[in-house]
């Protein structure tokens, strides 16, 4: 068993690490060192593998395509007959269909009508698209031969003896419109590498290899609960000073979009015994634990105390807006085992189940702030990339888009800001972006209106109208 680095080990390796004034870049680098890919795989039917992570390299068992074939509906012929500046007339002696190869012999001055995907007949290397051709009369020599009852091919032709096509000069070159054997995938080569995210395109590629199943990483198990006496579960009656638990549903949605197996532990009151039970249950069942609320300094919050008691946890103040407070670390599996007896009460609908294949070093903890927008921004900027690494996913993160700001945006250097924005296409096809208005960390409606986050980097100052900014788009994520 590999011993995981402690938080102190990771911090010592990061230049300028200061948990009370941490840049987003430093926080991201810390988390990438803290988390490791999970173990455990399963084999799934191809139709069930969408969104999963490939557990190993897939080596192509065959060439794709398996034969040279036509990329067009048209006529296949020997491209050496093309002469620059000169038209060409060819006699049609057969027809090749996709799935029904034509096996006759093609002589000089002859061609085969061919459909897209049909195997190229032997000796032919060029396809003229049907729309480039015209019907033609037989050349004089051919006409005389036909009147005498002769033929120019030893194969039985499916076309009539009088069918000819005319190809104008210089409309194609030898080899055009032919797909080569193995040009997509070559037998024995890696078709998809371990860690690849199985997208719809990847499903099609795997199917093209004739593979009915695929080995994938098991799903990442993530436990979530909200904390605080002011949090109401849906169905409870409103009361003064209380709010309904929106964070639970936004985080569950984000995790589901990510493809994680979610363990929903609901709302946990700010009582030490209940918090201990929730952390124990979460660590027994999950690879990672996400909480919201209780990570800021506050007299009524017991969450911080319980996190420290059960694991190796750091409490950060990140130079970002929204989402400054955050707790990260590892809930110690040994401490959990000692506490998971009669004193630890089960929380939520799930029963205790210790998954033996989980990380023996303990569950990774992400303690998020309580404000709804801060929760989502912190998840997108910091937690989601860490969870993808835990999933073993090597799929590249989508790049930030560049768009022209249509308004001035106030910003002081010294922190990274994520402002909710609306990206649209301006004149000339240029991307442009504006904010959704009120950027308060509790204005959840702004996340619904937005289609991306305007990312104003740590050293960046105020933005003028017409200036280019970077945007993290929501499509497929939020």
């Amino acid at each position: 068993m590999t011993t995981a680095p402690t938080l102190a080990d990771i911090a010592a390796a990061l230049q300028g690490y200061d948990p009370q004034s941490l840049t987003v870049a430093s926080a991201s680098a810390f988390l990438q060192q803290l988390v490791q890919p999970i173990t455990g795989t399963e084999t799934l039917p191809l139709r069930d593998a969408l969104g999963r992570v490939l557990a190993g390299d897939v080596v192509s068992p065959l060439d794709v395509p398996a034969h040279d074939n036509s990329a067009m509906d048209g006529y296949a012929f020997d491209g050496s007959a093309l002469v620059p500046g000169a038209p060409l007339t060819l006699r049609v002696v057969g027809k090749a269909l996709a799935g029904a190869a034509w096996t006759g012999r093609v002589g000089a001055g002859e061609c085969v009508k061919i459909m897209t995907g049909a195997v190229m007949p032997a000796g032919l290397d060029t396809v003229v698209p049907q729309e480039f051709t015209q019907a033609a009369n037989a050349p004089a020599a051919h006409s005389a031969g036909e009147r005498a009852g002769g033929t120019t091919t030893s194969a039985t032709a499916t076309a009539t003896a009088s069918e000819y096509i005319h190809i104008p000069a210089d409309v194609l070159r030898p080899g055009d419109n032919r797909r080569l054997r193995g040009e997509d995938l070559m037998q024995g080569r890696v078709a998809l590498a371990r860690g690849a995210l199985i997208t719809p395109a990847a499903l099609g590629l795997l199917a093209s290899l004739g593979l009915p199943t695929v080995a994938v990483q098991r799903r990442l198990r993530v436990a979530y609960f909200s904390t605080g006496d002011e949090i109401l579960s849906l169905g409870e009656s409103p009361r003064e000073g209380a709010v309904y638990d929106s964070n639970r549903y936004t985080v569950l949605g984000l995790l589901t979009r990510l493809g994680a197996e979610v363990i929903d532990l609901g709302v946990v009151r700010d009582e030490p015994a209940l918090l201990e039970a929730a952390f124990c249950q979460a660590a027994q069942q999950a690879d990672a634990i996400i909480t919201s609320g209780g990570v800021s300094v506050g007299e009524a919050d017991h969450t911080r105390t319980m996190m420290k008691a059960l694991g190796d946890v750091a409490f950060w103040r990140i130079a970002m807006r929204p989402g400054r407070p955050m707790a990260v670390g590892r809930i110690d599996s040994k401490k959990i085992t000692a506490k998971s007896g009669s004193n630890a009460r089960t929380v939520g609908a799930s029963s205790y189940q210790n998954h033996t294949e989980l990380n023996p070093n303990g569950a990774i903890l992400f303690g998020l702030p309580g404000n709804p927008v801060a929760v989502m921004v912190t998840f997108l900027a910091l937690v989601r990339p860490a969870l993808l690494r835990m999933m073993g996913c090597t799929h590249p993160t989508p790049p930030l888009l560049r768009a022209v700001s249509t308004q001035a945006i106030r910003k002081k250097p010294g922190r990274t800001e994520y402002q909710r924005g609306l990206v649209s296409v301006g004149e000339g096809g240029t991307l442009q972006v504006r904010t959704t208005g009120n950027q308060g960390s509790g204005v959840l409606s702004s996340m619904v209106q937005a289609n991306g986050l305007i990312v104003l980097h740590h050293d960046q100052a105020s933005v003028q109208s017409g200036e280019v900014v970077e945007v993290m788009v929501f499509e497929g994520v939020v």
Side-chain angles (χ1 to χ4, degrees):
M1 181 184 74
T2 303
T3 302
T6 65
L7 300 193
D9 293 335
I10 299 172
L14 287 179
Q15 185 176 4
Y17 174 79
D18 179 1
Q20 296 306 302
S21 181
L22 199 63
T23 65
V24 169
S26 294
S28 297
F30 190 105
L31 290 175
Q32 290 297 307
Q33 293 298 313
L34 175 66
V35 303
Q36 297 296 325
I38 59 174
T39 59
T41 64
E42 58 182 321
T43 299
L44 296 177
L46 213 55
R47 68 175 66 240
D48 297 330
L50 182 64
R52 302 297 291 272
V53 175
L54 204 61
D57 290 350
V58 173
V59 176
S60 178
L62 45 80
D63 288 327
V64 179
H67 308 275
D68 288 6
N69 69 83
S70 175
M72 295 278 186
D73 289 347
Y75 299 88
F77 64 101
D78 181 356
S80 65
L82 291 168
V83 176
L88 181 64
T89 298
L90 298 172
R91 182 186 182 199
V92 182
V93 297
K95 181 184 291 187
L97 304 175
W102 191 78
T103 57
R105 184 173 64 83
V106 182
E110 297 177 339
C111 67
V112 172
K113 187 170 186 178
I114 194 165
M115 301 295 106
T116 301
V119 174
M120 294 287 288
L124 309 188
D125 62 3
T126 305
V127 176
V128 57
Q130 184 169 324
E131 58 269 24
F132 286 8
T133 66
Q134 298 172 341
N137 295 321
H142 283 279
S143 297
E146 288 171 5
R147 284 194 300 271
T151 179
T152 59
T153 177
S154 61
T156 301
T158 59
T160 63
S162 60
E163 185 177 356
Y164 290 83
I165 60 166
H166 173 80
I167 304 173
D170 302 324
V171 295
L172 74 165
R173 295 173 296 180
D176 277 359
N177 305 313
R178 174 185 56 158
R179 298 178 182 139
L180 298 176
R181 174 179 177 171
E183 74 172 20
D184 186 5
L185 299 169
M186 294 187 66
Q187 184 176 8
R189 300 279 184 90
V190 173
L192 280 177
R194 177 182 180 179
L197 183 67
I198 301 180
T199 61
L203 281 180
L205 185 147
L206 292 168
S208 76
L209 300 177
L211 301 176
T213 62
V214 63
V216 298
Q217 294 290 123
R218 67 168 176 84
R219 287 191 185 276
L220 184 72
R221 299 189 183 102
V222 184
Y224 173 82
F225 59 90
S226 303
T227 67
D229 292 338
E230 77 282 9
I231 305 299
L232 295 173
S233 294
L234 301 187
E236 290 189 275
S237 299
R239 68 173 187 272
E240 187 176 0
V243 294
Y244 284 107
D245 188 9
S246 62
N247 289 343
R248 177 181 178 187
Y249 294 91
T250 53
V251 173
L252 295 185
L254 290 165
L255 290 172
T256 300
R257 275 281 181 93
L258 191 62
E261 178 184 330
V262 184
I263 301 168
D264 180 10
L265 299 181
V267 178
V268 179
R269 302 297 176 204
D270 197 28
E271 299 176 15
L274 292 176
L275 289 167
E276 179 181 321
F279 279 114
C280 287
Q281 183 176 350
Q284 290 272 342
Q285 296 184 341
D287 304 290
I289 304 168
I290 298 177
T291 67
S292 67
V295 295
S296 299
V297 177
E299 294 181 358
D301 285 323
H302 299 288
T303 307
R304 287 167 58 100
T305 302
M306 192 55 59
M307 288 177 177
K308 294 180 69 173
L310 295 177
D312 184 15
V313 180
F315 296 93
W316 288 347
R317 291 171 68 83
I318 306 173
M320 65 183 292
R321 180 182 181 185
R324 189 175 189 186
M326 183 177 178
V328 299
R330 190 180 289 109
I331 300 299
D332 194 321
S333 58
K334 295 184 178 65
K335 292 182 181 180
I336 291 299
T337 301
K339 288 179 175 288
S340 62
S342 59
N343 291 334
R345 290 174 282 175
T346 300
V347 177
S350 301
S351 61
Y352 250 98
Q353 182 182 359
N354 185 13
H355 292 284
T356 56
E357 74 271 31
L358 298 186
N359 190 341
N361 293 306
I364 300 297
L365 171 68
F366 303 97
L368 306 185
N371 285 320
V373 177
V375 165
M376 296 189 74
V377 169
T378 306
F379 182 95
L380 294 173
L382 297 172
V383 178
R384 189 175 188 274
L387 294 180
L388 284 170
R389 174 165 164 76
M390 293 183 72
M391 292 165 62
C393 182
T394 58
H395 197 76
T397 301
L400 299 179
L401 297 183
R402 293 173 62 82
V404 175
S405 177
T406 62
Q407 65 187 106
I409 305 174
R410 296 178 59 188
K411 182 316 196 140
K412 292 182 179 180
R415 69 183 177 196
T416 303
E417 292 192 11
Y418 299 86
Q419 301 216 7
R420 281 79 81 194
L422 281 166
V423 182
S424 59
V425 179
E427 294 182 6
T430 302
L431 292 180
Q432 59 186 25
V433 65
R434 63 177 177 85
T435 70
T436 57
N438 189 341
Q439 296 294 304
S441 60
V443 185
L444 189 55
S445 61
S446 64
M447 289 295 282
V448 177
Q449 298 165 16
N451 59 9
L453 292 173
I454 302 170
V455 182
L456 305 177
H457 296 284
H458 188 83
D459 295 325
Q460 195 169 354
S462 293
V463 173
Q464 302 302 315
S465 179
E467 193 173 335
V468 174
V469 294
E470 293 191 316
V471 182
M472 178 194 300
V473 294
F474 286 164
E475 181 62 32
V477 177
V478 173

